[in-house]
Amino acid sequence: MKNFLKRANRGLILGAIVLVGFVAFVIADTTAFKKNKPQIETAVTDYLDALSECAVTSQSREEFQKKADRLLADYWCTGNNGSNSDYYFFNITNYRDELETAAKEIYSEKGKNEKITKWNAKPSNFSITKAGTGYAKVAFTCNITAEFIGDPYLITPCEIWRISDFLYRESDSDEKVLSQFSLEIDYELNMKQTDGTWKVYSAESWGWCEPTITVLDETAEGGNE
């Protein structure tokens, strides 16, 4: 009986030590994540700023490709947090494919009179939650405005569609009319900490409001050189 009690006591002590260690790890991990939240939000805003480099139509496909490659290298990565919740999200491969598809048409004969002349994104209402060690889920609302001619591709943090696709109708835009597109949309980015830097590994959008189109100049000239 004494031996049994000794073994039982050792088991309880070891169990208590493991529990205390686990609780300490959870507290430390949670505290570290809270300190990372400002860095994560900054990483998202930096990503949106970098998007404007690609979103405004470049003079050549080669110039666009360099910007797209830099965007993917600096702000995207591969990975997941071991769950299946990312199935419907865009990953780096999907996003690269979207960029390549857009480039083919932007710099084709058909697309020479279509372009984005200005692009801006204003994020708000950030919600940052932990999604595993070294992983985060970032939800935010984003107001995207762009000045454009024709029916160009609009690059966003997730989808890359023609302006008319966001409106769910055939394009009726005049290629010489400078207009402004405005859209408020919610995004969710799954992010991974890589070598101390937070990068996007998947993205999803939902619940956007009806976009608005405003004519700015009916005599604008389109064209990509």
Side-chain angles (χ1 to χ4, degrees):
M1 178 63 71
K2 290 182 179 180
N3 289 335
F4 171 77
L5 291 174
K6 286 181 179 180
R7 286 196 296 271
N9 287 336
R10 278 201 298 270
L12 289 172
I13 292 170
L14 288 172
I17 292 172
V18 170
L19 179 60
V20 170
F22 175 74
V23 170
F25 169 78
V26 170
I27 292 173
D29 194 41
T30 301
T31 301
F33 181 75
K34 286 181 179 179
K35 292 180 179 179
N36 274 320
K37 283 188 174 183
Q39 183 183 356
I40 295 169
E41 184 172 326
T42 297
V44 173
T45 56
D46 287 347
Y47 170 52
L48 295 176
D49 289 341
L51 273 179
S52 65
E53 291 292 312
C54 285
V56 174
T57 306
S58 300
Q59 290 298 310
S60 68
R61 184 170 178 177
E62 291 74 18
E63 181 185 346
F64 173 83
Q65 192 62 56
K66 288 179 181 178
K67 293 176 180 179
D69 290 343
R70 187 164 59 246
L71 177 77
L72 292 170
D74 291 347
Y75 297 98
W76 281 78
C77 66
T78 59
N80 62 67
N81 64 356
S83 72
N84 294 321
S85 60
D86 305 327
Y87 182 78
Y88 294 105
F89 284 62
F90 274 69
N91 59 30
I92 187 172
T93 300
N94 304 140
Y95 201 67
R96 181 183 288 110
D97 290 345
E98 292 273 299
L99 287 168
E100 290 177 355
T101 297
K104 287 178 183 177
E105 299 200 36
I106 291 170
Y107 301 100
S108 67
E109 181 65 23
K110 179 183 176 181
K112 68 180 182 179
N113 293 318
E114 302 174 333
K115 64 179 179 179
I116 300 288
T117 59
K118 290 183 181 180
W119 187 97
N120 186 56
K122 293 183 178 180
S124 61
N125 302 324
F126 278 93
S127 174
I128 303 172
T129 56
K130 187 176 174 61
T133 302
Y135 289 89
K137 189 180 295 293
V138 184
F140 63 98
T141 300
C142 192
N143 184 270
I144 297 173
T145 57
E147 293 183 12
F148 69 96
I149 296 170
D151 186 24
Y153 276 88
L154 181 75
I155 294 176
T156 79
C158 185
E159 300 89 3
I160 303 174
W161 293 348
R162 287 192 178 276
I163 293 287
S164 58
D165 293 331
F166 285 94
L167 300 171
Y168 293 103
R169 64 170 184 254
E170 292 295 324
S171 172
D172 57 2
S173 58
D174 186 318
E175 66 180 28
K176 292 185 178 182
V177 173
L178 177 66
S179 302
Q180 180 174 279
F181 173 94
S182 181
L183 171 69
E184 186 173 270
I185 185 170
D186 293 325
Y187 288 101
E188 187 172 290
L189 305 182
N190 288 317
M191 305 189 72
K192 175 184 176 182
Q193 192 173 31
T194 304
D195 297 327
T197 301
W198 288 91
K199 295 186 176 184
V200 179
Y201 72 85
S202 65
E204 183 186 34
S205 65
W206 72 93
W208 60 65
C209 300
E210 179 68 21
T212 59
I213 300 289
T214 304
V215 174
L216 301 177
D217 185 356
E218 294 185 353
T219 61
E221 292 293 334
N224 299 315
E225 296 178 3

